[in-house]
Amino acid sequence: MGLRTDIGEIGLQSAAAHGSTNTYADNLETEVLIVGAGFGGVYLLHKLRDELGLDCKIYEAGKDLGGVWHWNCYPGARVDTSVPLYELSFEKVWKDWTWKEKYPAYPELRQYFDHVDKQLDIKKDVAFDTRVVAAQFDKEMNKWVVRTEHGRTARCKYFILATGFAAKRHFPDWKGLDTFEGVMHHSSFWPEEGVDIKGKRVAVIGTGSTGVQLAQECAKEAAELTVFQRTPNLALPMRQRKLTTEEQDKAKQKYADIFKHRMSTFGGFTFDFSDKKTFDDTPEQRQAFFEELWENGGFEFWLATYGDVLKDARANREAYDFWATKTRPRIHDPVKRDLLAPIEPPHAFGTKRPSLEQDYYEQFNKPNVNVVDIKNNPIVEVKPTGIVTSDGKLHEVDIIALATGFDSLTGGMKNMGLKDADGVDLSEKWKTGTWSYLGMTCNGYPNMFFLYGAQGPTAFSNGPSCVESQANWIVDVIAGLRKENIKTIEPTQEAEEEWRKIVTALSDETLFPGTSSWYMGANVPGKPREQLNYAGGLPKYEKECRQRLDGWKGFVVVH
């Protein structure tokens, strides 16, 4: 089988195998149609179907629940948010569930979604192997008409996109990519049966969170591992550990408070930025504070640090220098050390998403694990036997793992054939930049909502926290529309312009615009460079969104 590049290429005929349930019916009529069966889709289905009493269905391109955890099965794939923060807040779900690890790997996350289904009965209203390829609002019917890759049609009053921020994979355009004679997969399309890397020469291309996890695992079995790195990942210690049933049962007494508290912090975690600024403390106090965050592990050194680290370059350098002094001694070879943890920061610390690692840097102390600097020596071609860099060297490999990321935040929605009420494709509307209102609605798209996407707190937040905040707002909007007998709602262009200015202004107060990252859309050639996330934190975001409900500010409603 060749390189898989798209979610719609496999399983096209399998929907019929699911039987005669009306979820798979052609000409499906439903009040709400949700696209995506990850955290967002599952949460919304339960709230809208079981609490509001609406007829509700989900279309899911994959074969099971789980969203990104349905697709991710590459070596080392695990979440980098600790539990119980990385789960749904429904007591019905968490009360009888226990985890094995603080940071679960993909098999356990899949088991969790099976448990969610058992508790909430989700799958009966999900059509799997169902990819949306076209959708447009019909003004005469006041309904969305949605078409699938199989040729089925659905009509709904409310259309909700819960496809997440990483729905469209990014593939490099290197010459000869299709000529490689070995095994090659994008990390998100890693085969379920796995790939035997024992005794093989493996290339991992990319050092985002996925690349770090892949390299960390592959280094333990491969005969030779070469990591092709454009930018070093300023990775933080995960502090992984096993969890016992007893400690979780005891902690569950506080779960309700934990889930409430996570919504009050900037990133939807249990920790938050300090009220102090970096230079409010003496060097000794600062060192002690950094040491505490470092020992705690996870994202605390990133999102529980001094309040000015992501805003002030001098403060940021203090954080980077601490990171470097902790990381550099772990790498023995001086050449590898300067590539993986340079003395001079490659960018402001925290303006690219740090990964969490367990023993990533130690892997490079092995003589068979190498790193190639493709920022100064880029990949120019793929040959049948390996990868050619600009210095002319052929790096012979048996397996290539493409950890080249995603067309994040906007790519999935632009790739669905979404058309506004006048027939203009969203990909055309967003060609020169992204416009939305509140990161959940779009002008020209009545009764359409999306979550965990562009111009929301998405990439600066814990996924389930962001999802629940936005989903609760969407549910309240739909409840309000029904109560007031409103047929349609959509934002004005002026409201979109205002929101774009708010998102940009918040970003401009930080160091993020100075770094080329997927946060800024800079990882995909030709993509507009702009801040794609709301950088004001979850509490401020929720307040902004809730204020707009009073009198439907920024919206046009039709009774």
Side-chain angles (χ1 to χ4, degrees), residues 106-355:
Y106 76 88
E108 192 174 8
L109 287 157
R110 292 177 175 184
Q111 291 165 14
Y112 172 73
F113 274 94
D114 285 341
H115 171 75
V116 170
D117 179 52
K118 287 189 181 82
Q119 301 305 313
L120 303 182
D121 201 11
I122 299 296
K123 288 185 185 179
K124 70 177 183 183
D125 287 312
V126 183
F128 294 107
D129 289 313
T130 301
R131 182 192 181 199
V132 171
V133 294
Q136 184 174 356
F137 187 76
D138 186 305
K139 295 182 196 177
E140 291 185 9
M141 288 193 297
N142 273 336
K143 286 184 178 180
W144 277 89
V145 180
V146 182
R147 292 186 173 83
T148 75
E149 194 168 28
H150 305 112
R152 305 200 311 274
T153 299
R155 295 172 190 82
C156 59
K157 184 170 184 179
Y158 304 108
F159 186 44
I160 308 178
L161 306 177
T163 48
F165 72 82
K168 187 173 188 290
R169 287 79 178 159
H170 174 58
F171 290 84
D173 59 358
W174 299 316
K175 177 185 174 186
L177 194 65
D178 58 349
T179 67
F180 183 61
E181 292 176 353
V183 175
M184 177 164 54
H185 298 289
H186 190 283
S187 58
S188 186
F189 288 140
W190 206 259
E192 278 292 324
E193 65 274 15
V195 176
D196 183 9
I197 63 171
K198 288 178 184 173
K200 302 288 176 56
R201 299 165 299 176
V202 179
V204 172
I205 302 175
T207 51
S209 296
T210 297
V212 167
Q213 291 183 337
L214 264 165
Q216 188 172 249
E217 293 306 308
C218 290
K220 293 162 187 171
E221 290 194 330
E224 185 180 306
L225 172 67
T226 305
V227 175
F228 291 82
Q229 170 189 282
R230 185 171 58 185
T231 309
N233 192 312
L234 311 185
L236 301 173
M238 179 174 272
R239 309 289 185 224
Q240 173 72 298
R241 69 179 181 86
K242 300 293 184 185
L243 299 177
T244 66
T245 301
E246 292 73 26
E247 69 177 303
Q248 290 175 80
D249 285 344
K250 186 177 179 182
K252 282 175 184 176
Q253 298 169 21
K254 299 179 181 177
Y255 270 23
D257 292 334
I258 289 171
F259 290 127
K260 184 179 179 181
H261 176 63
R262 75 178 180 182
M263 306 307 287
S264 70
T265 67
F266 177 92
F269 297 94
T270 49
F271 46 81
D272 211 345
F273 288 108
S274 170
D275 292 332
K276 279 188 176 182
K277 292 185 178 180
T278 301
F279 298 104
D280 290 346
D281 277 348
T282 65
E284 294 76 20
Q285 290 170 326
R286 190 158 56 247
Q287 180 76 11
F289 180 55
F290 281 159
E291 287 282 0
E292 180 186 353
L293 297 175
W294 194 262
E295 283 308 309
N296 289 344
F299 287 135
E300 289 198 30
F301 190 75
W302 181 34
L303 297 174
T305 187
Y306 293 106
D308 59 349
V309 163
L310 295 177
K311 295 181 178 181
D312 179 82
R314 191 164 150 256
N316 189 278
R317 182 62 191 254
E318 291 290 314
Y320 180 82
D321 287 347
F322 180 89
W323 177 86
T325 60
K326 283 292 191 182
T327 307
R328 285 177 61 82
R330 295 169 60 187
I331 309 158
H332 301 162
D333 181 279
V335 176
K336 293 179 185 178
R337 183 190 303 136
D338 285 345
L339 286 174
L340 294 163
I343 293 172
E344 287 298 314
H347 52 79
F349 173 78
T351 57
K352 283 198 170 195
R353 191 180 191 279
S355 181

Side-chain angles (χ1 to χ4, degrees), residues 509-528:
E509 293 173 7
T510 72
L511 299 172
F512 285 106
T515 299
S516 293
S517 69
W518 60 264
Y519 292 156
M520 301 294 299
N523 66 315
V524 176
K527 188 170 179 173

Side-chain angles (χ1 to χ4, degrees), residues 454-470:
Q455 298 186 338
T458 311
F460 300 152
S461 67
N462 168 33
S465 303
C466 179
V467 157
E468 292 197 7
S469 171
Q470 292 184 310

Side-chain angles (χ1 to χ4, degrees), residues 172-177 179-180 184 203 205 226 228 372-397 400:
D173 59 358
W174 299 316
K175 177 185 174 186
L177 194 65
T179 67
F180 183 61
M184 177 164 54
I205 302 175
T226 305
F228 291 82
V372 175
D373 175 15
I374 57 171
K375 183 174 184 180
N376 296 307
N377 184 22
I379 294 170
V380 293
E381 187 177 357
V382 176
K383 295 271 194 180
T385 57
I387 297 162
V388 181
T389 43
S390 63
D391 60 0
K393 181 176 179 180
L394 171 64
H395 305 263
E396 293 192 338
V397 295
I400 296 176

